[in-house]
């Protein structure tokens, strides 16, 4: 069984020029939940001037009506963001930092060490209120400084785990990963921390390897993946960033492989088509255009 975290309402929308209303975001979240998505990264608590698409985070959470079996995550990358997040009814706190100094300086105006000094003391406090997931961006490479050593990534992971984080996500923020690297990194993670630490993977499809990387991660033992409906997404601080791996394409692939995701693919395709209308442009998703393989005439 694979668990998919739908990040469309947050990562998917943060780099888009079209600004969806609170009502549209709630409809997006509710449709995803009706389609069987059990975890949704809905908002981020960041500087409203730098990421205006997330300026309504508190309003979105105030408008969300709790649904049984659906966890809502909010993302923060600073002490002040964590404080804001804890004042809302999120179910899970995602805290992100880069494994690369060059990227983290652009994303949070701090080196990795400075970022950890700021975040780690708050992680322990936050973990007494709700689960804390540490998302380590540029885990597979940095567009500004190149390769990021596996040991560097794991050192950041260890700092968060010691501080109270209960789950890790390794993120390929700018689509630099390849399947062999993903498999080696996942196996290295389990060797270092054991298989009892929940591990998720977050891929962008910048160079067309997103789904291949997901398969490599699955084969290495990962069962938690982030994705965005229609392939929405991109990072405001990453050059030439493109979308996340596409939720309905990821689900279609797993279903064709005989792997259960607990989701309704038809519902996800319908959602992608609706979001495409809202955005006023063709989205990157392929199954929404070509249809499911099972629908083809034999």
């Amino acid at each position: 069984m694979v668990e998919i975290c739908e990040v469309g309402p947050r990562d998917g929308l943060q780099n888009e020029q079209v600004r969806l209303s609170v009502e549209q975001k709630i409809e997006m979240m509710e449709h995803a939940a009706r389609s069987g998505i059990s975890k949704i990264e809905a908002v981020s608590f960041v500087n409203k001037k730098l990421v205006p698409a997330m300026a309504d985070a508190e309003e979105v959470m105030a408008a969300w009506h709790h649904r049984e079996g659906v966890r809502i995550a909010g993302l923060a990358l600073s002490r002040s963001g964590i404080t804001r997040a804890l004042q809302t009814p999120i179910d899970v706190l995602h805290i992100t930092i880069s494994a690369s100094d060059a990227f983290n300086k652009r994303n949070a105006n701090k080196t990795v060490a400075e970022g950890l000094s700021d975040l780690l003391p708050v992680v322990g406090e936050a973990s007494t209120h709700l689960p804390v997931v540490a998302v380590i961006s540029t885990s597979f490479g940095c567009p500004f400084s190149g390769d990021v050593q596996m040991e560097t990534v794991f050192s950041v992971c260890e700092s968060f785990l010691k501080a109270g984080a209960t789950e890790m996500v390794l993120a390929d923020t700018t689509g630099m990963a390849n399947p062999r690297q993903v498999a080696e990194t996942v196996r290295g993670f389990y060797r270092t921390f054991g298989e009892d630490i929940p591990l998720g993977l977050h891929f962008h499809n910048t160079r067309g390897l997103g789904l291949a990387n997901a398969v490599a991660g699955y084969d290495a033992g990962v069962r938690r993946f982030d994705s965005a409906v229609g392939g929405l997404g991109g990072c405001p601080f990453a050059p030439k960033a493109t979308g996340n791996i596409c939720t309905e394409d990821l689900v279609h692939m797993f279903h064709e492989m005989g792997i259960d995701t607990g989701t309704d693919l038809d519902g996800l395709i319908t959602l992608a088509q609706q979001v495409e209308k809202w955005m006023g442009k063709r989205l990157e998703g392929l199954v929404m255009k070509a249809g499911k393989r099972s629908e083809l005439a034999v």
Side-chain angles (χ1 to χ4, degrees):
M1 176 76 171
V2 162
E3 180 188 48
I4 292 173
C5 175
E6 172 58 52
V7 300
R10 197 283 300 177
D11 198 354
L13 296 180
Q14 70 174 4
N15 211 34
E16 295 291 339
Q17 296 302 310
V18 174
R19 301 283 182 258
L20 297 190
S21 67
V22 170
E23 292 74 21
Q24 288 171 315
K25 291 179 179 180
I26 293 296
E27 183 177 343
M28 186 178 180
M29 293 161 61
E30 289 181 340
H31 195 135
R34 289 196 303 270
S35 299
I37 296 292
S38 60
K39 184 179 180 184
I40 302 170
E41 189 182 72
V43 292
S44 62
F45 301 92
V46 292
N47 189 314
K48 300 176 182 182
K49 294 180 180 179
L50 295 178
V51 191
M54 294 292 107
D56 55 5
E58 282 83 358
E59 290 83 355
V60 169
M61 290 311 306
W64 170 256
H65 298 290
H66 175 76
R67 294 177 67 100
E68 190 69 30
V70 178
R71 296 179 298 153
I72 301 299
L75 181 80
L77 45 77
S78 67
R79 183 184 292 259
S80 60
I82 294 171
T83 299
R84 286 175 58 197
L86 293 178
Q87 294 171 348
T88 70
I90 60 172
D91 303 301
V92 183
L93 175 63
H94 286 183
I95 298 178
T96 187
I97 192 170
S98 175
S100 156
D101 279 333
F103 191 89
N104 209 62
K105 285 180 180 178
R106 287 167 171 81
N107 197 34
N109 199 31
K110 293 180 175 69
T111 65
V112 176
E114 291 168 344
L116 289 173
S117 295
D118 183 53
L119 292 173
L120 293 180
V122 197
V123 171
E125 178 186 347
S127 65
T128 65
H129 299 284
L130 74 178
V132 175
V133 178
V135 182
I136 314 303
S137 66
T138 61
S139 286
F140 300 93
C142 172
F144 307 113
S145 58
D147 293 338
V148 177
Q149 296 301 310
M150 195 184 305
E151 293 74 15
T152 301
V153 176
F154 293 166
S155 175
V156 177
C157 291
E158 183 176 19
S159 296
F160 276 104
L161 290 170
K162 287 182 176 179
T166 55
E167 180 180 341
M168 305 300 304
V169 173
L170 302 182
D172 183 27
T173 317
T174 56
M176 295 177 69
N178 66 73
R180 180 171 294 173
Q181 178 191 21
V182 169
E184 291 173 350
T185 301
V186 169
R187 287 194 289 265
F189 180 92
Y190 288 139
R191 283 195 306 270
T192 303
F193 301 106
E195 297 186 5
D196 291 335
I197 301 296
L199 175 63
L201 293 173
H202 177 109
F203 295 119
H204 286 248
N205 202 40
T206 312
R207 293 167 179 81
L209 292 176
L211 291 186
N213 289 332
V215 172
Y218 179 88
D219 287 343
V222 175
R223 296 296 181 268
R224 303 179 183 207
F225 298 89
D226 292 355
S227 61
V229 60
L232 281 169
C235 176
F237 309 103
K240 301 179 181 178
T242 61
N244 295 268
I245 55 174
C246 172
T247 300
E248 61 274 16
D249 290 359
L250 181 68
V251 168
H252 179 266
M253 178 188 75
F254 278 134
H255 287 186
E256 289 297 319
M257 294 168 65
I259 299 167
D260 185 17
T261 65
T263 63
D264 171 22
L265 179 55
D266 289 322
L268 293 171
I269 292 172
T270 299
L271 173 59
Q273 293 167 340
Q274 176 60 66
V275 173
E276 185 174 68
K277 292 177 183 177
W278 286 340
M279 304 314 293
K281 65 176 184 180
R282 285 179 67 83
L283 299 184
E284 297 297 321
L286 297 175
V287 173
M288 65 186 290
K289 304 180 184 73
K292 298 182 294 184
R293 179 181 182 275
S294 60
E295 294 175 340
L296 297 176
V298 178

